[in-house]
Amino acid sequence: MKKIMRVAIIILTLAALLISVSACQRRAAAGSGGFTVEEGVLVMVTNAEFPPYEFWDGGRIVGIDAEIADAIANKLGLRLRIDDIDFNAILPAVTSGRADMGMAGMTVTEERKQSVNFSTSYATGVQVIIVRDGSPITNADDLSAEGANFNIGVQEATTGDLYTTWDLEDEGLATIHRFRRGADAVQALVTGRVDCVVIDNEPAKAFVAMNRGLRILDTEFAVENYAIAFALENTALRDAVDGALRDLIADGTVQRIIDKYIKVD
Ligand code: ARG
């Protein structure tokens, strides 16, 4: 009986060992190229309301981020899938492992770094102020002037929201109106529900071009870097994507894509 027990224990130990060795191998194999939510697919979440970085065009999501992501996926031998969700749902989708990466003209901030890892930065953004023609707001300081109390429109959870909330609303200097889409904030400006909109410069240009009577103030609210966000624990995928991105920056592909969408005037 004792002998049978001993043999059984040895067999069980061996089996356990085998299982853990093969699990290690699986992880190592996946780890070399980074593992993705769906095999062979790079799942990117974005908010396609942000021209020229991501926007719908004839049933397809196009733009700078979409094209860079496509080039990255090609390099890694993966198929790219882009899911369009609310901007404030992007980081939760990444941290919960529902998506592989978040790419949405997303600014690298210290707060976001607490919950996600960022790639190398691939573009620069500037927070600007859009006003109606003839607006009393002529520069950023006007927003924080004593007793100003302007109504400011932003896209919810963007840096435009965070900065104006911290710098102005929390100080009792302004009221922030948060919209699901940047375009909705701009519509509120057109109809006079808000006095200005704080948003990234390139979408600002696109929105101003689509609407009459608006202009962008020649004043910068903040300068920031855009990067791709990954779950903290998926460093293998971050490294793989980052390597591909660095190559695409080095060989001029990223600049070519940016130049295709942003014409310098
Ligand atoms: N750069 C800003 C941020 O990271 C705004 C990004 C908005 N992007 C979008 N696809 N809607 O907060």
Side-chain angles (χ1 to χ4, degrees):
M1 191 59 189
K2 259 195 187 154
K3 202 167 167 192
I4 292 176
M5 284 287 279
R6 250 205 314 272
V7 171
I9 288 173
I10 290 171
I11 288 174
L12 278 177
T13 315
L14 274 175
L17 212 74
L18 265 173
I19 289 170
S20 69
V21 163
S22 79
C24 273
Q25 273 168 350
R26 258 206 310 278
R27 227 169 300 145
S32 56
F35 51 94
T36 55
V37 174
E38 218 180 292
E39 212 188 313
V41 183
L42 183 62
V43 180
M44 156 180 162
V45 274
T46 195
N47 171 245
E49 304 284 351
F50 199 68
Y53 287 92
E54 43 266 331
F55 56 101
W56 285 95
D57 184 28
R60 248 168 34 95
I61 296 172
V62 297
I64 295 170
D65 289 344
E67 288 204 24
I68 294 177
D70 202 47
I72 291 171
N74 272 336
K75 261 196 183 296
L76 299 179
L78 298 167
R79 193 166 58 77
L80 178 70
R81 192 182 87 214
I82 306 180
D83 290 346
D84 184 15
I85 61 177
D86 281 353
F87 185 75
N88 65 5
I90 294 177
L91 292 187
V94 169
T95 54
S96 67
R98 267 181 291 130
D100 295 311
M101 62 183 210
M103 190 173 189
M106 179 160 306
T107 304
V108 178
T109 70
E110 286 310 312
E111 297 71 29
R112 289 174 180 164
K113 275 197 206 161
Q114 307 296 310
S115 59
V116 289
N117 272 333
F118 281 104
S119 68
T120 304
S121 172
Y122 61 89
T124 313
V126 183
Q127 294 298 311
V128 296
I129 304 167
I130 312 177
V131 293
R132 284 185 302 275
D133 285 334
S135 167
I137 305 167
T138 57
N139 59 50
D141 290 341
D142 287 345
L143 297 181
S144 53
E146 196 61 42
N149 200 28
F150 285 113
N151 289 298
I152 302 176
V154 296
Q155 183 182 17
E156 188 174 9
T158 59
T159 44
D161 180 1
L162 303 178
Y163 300 155
T164 54
T165 300
W166 295 333
D167 297 354
L168 302 170
E169 193 173 58
D170 289 355
E171 302 297 321
L173 295 168
T175 306
I176 311 304
H177 300 261
R178 302 172 181 86
F179 297 87
R180 259 188 69 211
R181 310 182 317 143
D184 296 339
V186 173
Q187 271 322 299
L189 176 63
V190 170
T191 57
R193 280 203 294 141
V194 299
D195 302 305
C196 68
V197 169
V198 175
I199 196 164
D200 304 50
N201 57 334
E202 288 304 331
K205 282 192 217 162
F207 293 139
V208 166
M210 291 173 204
N211 291 279
R212 292 165 78 99
L214 300 183
R215 62 191 196 92
I216 299 170
L217 293 182
D218 192 16
T219 172
E220 295 177 355
F221 205 77
V223 180
E224 26 191 57
N225 290 315
Y226 293 167
I228 312 172
F230 301 87
L232 287 176
E233 59 276 12
N234 203 348
T235 51
L237 182 66
R238 198 275 304 264
D239 293 347
V241 169
D242 202 52
L245 176 60
R246 281 170 191 271
D247 287 350
L248 293 164
I249 291 172
D251 73 9
T253 305
V254 166
Q255 194 55 51
R256 206 163 45 243
I257 294 171
I258 293 176
D259 291 345
K260 176 176 159 190
Y261 286 93
I262 301 177
K263 305 270 178 264
V264 231
D265 35 32

